[in-house]
Amino acid sequence: MVKICCIGAGYVGGPTMAVIALKCPEIQVAVVDIAAPRINAWNSEHLPIYEPGLDEVVKECRGRNLFFSVDVEKHVAESDIVFVSVNTPTKTQGLGAGKAADLTYWESAARMIADVSKSDKIVVEKSTVPVKTAEAIERILTHNRKGINFTILSNPEFLAEGTAIKDLFNPDRVLIGGRETPEGQKAIHALRDVYAHWVPVERILCTNLWSAELSKLAANAFLAQRISSVNAISALCEATGADVTQVSHAIGTDSRVGPKFLNASVGFGGSCFQKDILNLVYICECNGLPEVANYWKQVIKVNDYQKTRFVNRVVSSMFNTVSGKKIAILGFAFKKDTGDTRETPAIDVCKGLLGDKAKLSIFDPQVTEDQIIRDLSMKKFDWDHPAHLQPLSPTNNKQVTVVWDAYEAIKDAHGICILTEWDEFKKLDYKKVYDSMQKPAFVFDGRNVVDANKLREIGFIVYSVGKPLDSWLKDMPAVA
């Protein structure tokens, strides 16, 4: 029986290994992590991450050929293929701080693999890593191998949170990069055979190591660039009276462009986009390509600008101050169908409003109060480091309350900010909402989920990103 072990039981490792176990019943799959609470959660009725369809997959395979364990060394030693899906946070100090990836956890994983292995292994990069990481890992393994052969592959993930299981079942492509040597090609074929249990072979792309590593960064950079592009246009739409939904539809019907990732919003979030672009910027700078680095920096600058612009719209619309006013925040996750808050635009919007002394009442159907308070108390990039390096006890902010009902969040509020596109926000009884609010009642739709005209008929003053401005807002500045 082929044995697979994945080091790291997070958003990538857990779902990916669960689907491999489901689709390859003859393969034994172990997911290992040093964090006992996380492993305990994977072995419980309440999994540590929310992802549609994940519960069913895990519960079908768990205990049969899918195991979650803190016994890292045992499972690594017994495996034939080791996926490494540990964190690669952005460095917060030292060389490359604020841009470069911190490979501390990757390096310690590689050293541990070399230390405990008693048989030849294929080691697979599953984390998003800088180009040439495989070379560094190869050196560590080669110099510590004690007669054992290690072959390195790059197999980047292209999952979208909220649709991860669907993406794993039916991927656009599976990318496997390896050395162009007999050993490298043999390892590529071994991993390809695992995915070929359910993925058509023509969708399994095989490249050299560096192409696979760079393709992941480039793919995320291109997607984020599309969002920043349409968000830049949204600002122009508001200034000219154009409707960004109509403009993006017109652009998206061009077959050379396509319609995806052209929805204007308060900005992009998630664990990968900003981190991967910063990584790309750093690699460009290190390779003497400042013009290329500056090009990609602009994608992040526009994203930050969009969040700032949104906050300024809120403040300027409400008589140029939100001090002491209750603002309802609907949605805190970075997108619907996930409880993930990493780099969510809601953090910067909330911090901006808190900076003007607003009182926030926050509701998200999948994010806990502890997570929200923790996110609002952290410095940038803290979220991407282990829990013991994060703030121990979130500071109790008297300006923030977290509630478990949208109507409760909205009651007596001066304004509503919709920051996640949860379907339930489209279905709220907005007449009931209006009646419960202070007047004038404002809605700031950062995801363009509500029908602005219907809300205006009720009596709301509505701001929708990239849409023709309410007459109330026309003479108010978008940027302070």
Side-chain angles (χ1 to χ4, degrees):
M1 176 186 274
V2 174
K3 290 188 177 180
I4 289 176
C5 176
C6 178
I7 304 172
Y11 274 90
V12 175
T16 303
M17 294 303 115
V19 169
I20 288 177
L22 180 73
K23 298 293 188 180
C24 310
E26 77 283 7
I27 293 176
Q28 182 176 305
V29 181
V31 183
V32 297
D33 202 297
I34 58 172
R38 177 175 284 182
I39 291 298
N40 291 340
W42 279 110
N43 283 318
S44 75
E45 289 301 302
H46 301 287
L47 303 186
I49 60 176
Y50 171 73
E51 191 65 49
L54 178 61
D55 258 41
E56 294 83 350
V57 174
V58 169
K59 287 168 184 176
E60 183 170 338
C61 305
R62 194 171 59 193
R64 184 189 71 194
N65 68 324
L66 175 64
F67 305 92
F68 297 92
S69 173
V70 291
D71 198 342
V72 179
E73 295 185 359
K74 171 182 179 290
H75 287 286
V76 169
E78 292 175 355
S79 64
D80 305 295
I81 302 172
V82 182
F83 285 83
V84 183
S85 190
V86 297
N87 215 2
T88 53
T90 303
K91 289 182 75 173
T92 54
Q93 54 192 24
L95 186 65
K99 288 179 284 196
D102 183 344
L103 298 179
T104 302
Y105 311 114
W106 239 109
E107 184 176 336
S108 62
R111 291 183 184 280
M112 182 271 295
I113 292 168
D115 194 42
V116 305
S117 294
K118 297 178 177 62
S119 58
D120 294 354
K121 297 204 184 322
I122 297 169
V123 179
V124 184
E125 289 179 341
K126 199 66 185 166
S127 316
T128 301
V129 293
V131 183
K132 295 288 186 177
T133 298
E135 193 166 60
I137 304 308
E138 273 182 338
R139 286 175 181 168
I140 291 168
L141 293 172
T142 302
H143 284 277
N144 294 278
R145 68 183 186 178
K146 296 174 285 194
I148 292 164
N149 295 314
F150 297 100
T151 312
I152 313 298
L153 297 179
S154 174
N155 175 217
E157 57 83 18
F158 295 101
L159 306 180
E161 286 182 45
T163 59
I165 299 301
K166 191 173 82 173
D167 295 343
L168 285 162
F169 280 177
N170 187 30
D172 290 337
R173 77 294 202 196
V174 171
L175 183 57
I176 304 172
R179 286 282 194 187
E180 292 162 315
T181 61
E183 297 78 21
Q185 294 305 299
K186 184 180 175 185
I188 287 174
H189 290 145
L191 186 54
R192 187 181 67 184
D193 289 346
V194 171
Y195 284 110
H197 279 73
W198 77 96
V199 180
V201 173
E202 62 272 15
R203 284 199 221 161
I204 303 174
L205 311 181
C206 300
T207 68
N208 71 32
L209 268 173
W210 326 129
S211 296
E213 289 180 331
L214 184 55
S215 293
K216 168 61 177 174
L217 298 183
N220 278 343
F222 272 57
L223 293 174
Q225 177 210 47
R226 285 173 70 95
I227 297 170
S228 280
S229 293
V230 77
N231 281 344
I233 295 299
S234 76
L236 187 57
C237 286
E238 290 169 28
T240 60
D243 184 327
V244 73
T245 306
Q246 295 173 356
V247 173
S248 61
H249 178 68
I251 295 166
T253 52
D254 187 326
S255 60
R256 297 167 299 178
V257 178
K260 293 184 178 177
F261 281 76
L262 288 180
N263 293 323
S265 70
V266 66
F268 61 72
S271 62
C272 288
F273 280 3
Q274 177 163 297
K275 185 169 81 169
D276 288 358
I277 294 170
L278 290 170
N279 208 324
L280 196 59
V281 166
Y282 184 66
I283 293 166
C284 292
E285 290 173 345
C286 290
N287 283 281
L289 301 168
E291 293 82 5
V292 182
N294 288 336
Y295 176 81
W296 290 111
K297 273 183 195 171
Q298 197 61 31
V299 173
I300 292 173
K301 281 185 179 176
V302 169
N303 196 51
D304 289 339
Y305 164 75
Q306 190 76 342
K307 291 179 282 190
T308 302
R309 208 167 67 78
F310 187 87
V311 171
N312 289 341
R313 279 284 188 211
V314 175
V315 176
S316 65
S317 302
M318 300 174 74
F319 313 103
N320 225 31
T321 180
V322 289
S323 180
K325 294 175 182 174
K326 178 179 176 180
I327 308 290
I329 304 294
L330 298 187
F332 199 84
F334 84 92
K335 69 176 190 178
K336 73 173 184 176
D337 292 334
T338 179
D340 195 355
T341 62
R342 292 177 291 179
E343 293 290 353
T344 176
I347 293 173
D348 287 334
V349 171
C350 288
K351 284 183 175 179
L353 294 172
L354 290 170
D356 206 76
K357 299 185 177 169
K359 292 182 176 177
L360 304 184
S361 184
I362 303 173
F363 166 71
D364 187 289
Q366 287 296 334
V367 185
T368 64
E369 178 177 3
D370 182 64
Q371 186 62 53
I372 290 170
I373 301 301
R374 185 176 291 277
D375 285 336
L376 293 177
S377 67
M378 282 190 202
K379 295 176 186 168
K380 202 162 183 65
F381 303 126
D382 275 356
W383 60 267
D384 208 11
H385 290 265
H388 68 277
L389 297 178
Q390 294 173 8
L392 283 178
S393 54
T395 50
N396 185 20
N397 191 328
K398 290 177 181 172
Q399 290 173 254
V400 178
T401 56
V402 180
V403 298
W404 281 100
D405 176 75
Y407 294 105
E408 179 66 23
I410 292 162
K411 186 181 177 186
D412 291 325
H414 290 77
I416 301 168
C417 294
I418 302 174
L419 301 182
T420 310
E421 68 280 20
W422 289 104
D423 291 337
E424 64 190 84
F425 299 153
K426 300 175 188 175
K427 301 169 186 171
L428 292 175
D429 180 344
Y430 279 98
K431 179 67 173 71
K432 175 181 173 182
V433 165
Y434 181 79
D435 291 342
S436 75
M437 291 177 67
Q438 301 283 339
K439 308 298 184 296
F442 297 86
V443 172
F444 303 94
D445 187 356
R447 298 290 180 174
N448 288 344
V449 297
V450 300
D451 185 326
N453 289 328
K454 283 186 180 174
L455 264 60
R456 287 182 183 123
E457 287 172 11
I458 293 170
F460 286 102
I461 295 159
V462 183
Y463 165 70
S464 298
V465 173
K467 299 296 186 87
L469 293 177
D470 195 299
S471 57
W472 180 286
L473 304 166
K474 277 187 177 165
D475 298 323
M476 298 182 178
V479 180

